[in-house]
Amino acid sequence: MAHQAHSYHMVDPSPWPIFGAAAALLTTSGLIMWFHYNSSQLLSLGLLSMILVMLQWWRDIVREGTFQGHHTPTVQKGLRYGMILFITSEAFFFLGFFWAFFHSSLVPTPELGGQWPPTGINPLNPLEVPLLNTAILLASGVTVTWAHHSITEGNRKQATQALTLTILLGFYFTALQAMEYYEAPFSIADGVYGSTFFVATGFHGLHVIIGSSFLLVCLLRLIKFHFTSNHHFGFEAAAWYWHFVDVIWLFLYMTIYWWGS
Amino acid sequence: QGLKPIVSTESPALIFGTTTKLASDLPATDSFLGQNKVPDLQKLFQKADGLPVHLKRGVPDKLLYRTTMALTIGGTIYCLVALYMASQPRNQ
């Protein structure tokens, strides 16, 4: 009959960490089988099990917080620390790719024609679609803040509208970027310009998709009354992540798209 | 064996009931996109049945758990076999 005499969360035993580790093993070895032996079964298995683990693990966190009440202010503080540290680690991840870009573009080698952009590369015009994409992400930063204010003020209808608009803007960005990728006159195989461009913007695009998915889950939870006006950390975490994605784009735009053209 | 919670999961009343303002407490938004089912779910997930949170809903949870386990454990075995075969020397 013991009740806890502390405000922390002692979680139930869960299979997701070890299944998640197994999924990572399958995904990485699946990549090897795909690259070297042209077989994609292991990779598909890995990605599928990864998705299943993510869905169930995060579903359990929603159950523990919203339905079982385990997310006390103390626990929420820990979750905040966790999200901040994770986003910081992602910032370092992108820092590496920016380093690679500047390494190659500040001192262009003779093989590139001694110039940046390298000889033969026609970079994208930064004042066309990339500028539109910048406006889209900035606008989505405004709408997600609007959604947050609506939640804290208890305005369910407005919060739903603002969050939906944010997600639509995210999808619009992704669609435009996909079209840009398709229409670009250069590819990832076009020397170090292609490599730095597509790896940096590609990982950013992946993070936009992840952020949009996170926001979409928050929209569903908002509709299902999971959030209260002063306890909605899942939404705040999604909003932080979204602002981070926006900031990374601004750096990408200023350095690779604009300075690098 | 190890799956029984050490601390009882029983609670006399809802731990997280209506201490904070619920969105459904607000007027004029009753039927905008569905009814609030959170209190019912809170009751369901706080039932003192000794089940861990990932199996708390019963059959659908069990099915999903077993599917995931089959894919990951089966996949791990397949992976080890594939890596073993890939590590065999190839006779050119």
XYZ file of all heavy atoms in Angstrom, chain A residues 83 149 209 243:
36
model
N 14.735 18.239 -23.073
C 14.460 18.762 -24.417
C 15.492 19.805 -24.806
O 15.978 19.815 -25.928
C 13.045 19.353 -24.472
C 12.592 19.619 -25.888
S 12.422 18.087 -26.810
C 12.303 18.678 -28.474
N -0.102 31.182 -27.125
C -0.854 32.170 -26.355
C -2.315 31.755 -26.237
O -2.943 31.917 -25.183
C -0.727 33.558 -27.009
C 0.589 34.221 -26.731
N 0.737 35.281 -25.871
C 1.837 33.938 -27.188
C 2.017 35.638 -25.827
N 2.703 34.840 -26.606
N 10.404 17.892 -41.366
C 9.393 16.835 -41.389
C 9.155 16.304 -39.976
O 8.014 16.097 -39.547
C 9.842 15.707 -42.352
C 9.818 16.234 -43.789
C 8.953 14.482 -42.219
C 10.512 15.328 -44.794
N 11.034 26.310 -33.483
C 11.832 27.537 -33.542
C 13.278 27.209 -33.883
O 13.922 27.924 -34.662
C 11.774 28.287 -32.205
C 10.466 28.956 -31.942
N 9.886 29.835 -32.822
C 9.629 28.872 -30.889
C 8.727 30.270 -32.327
N 8.554 29.696 -31.155
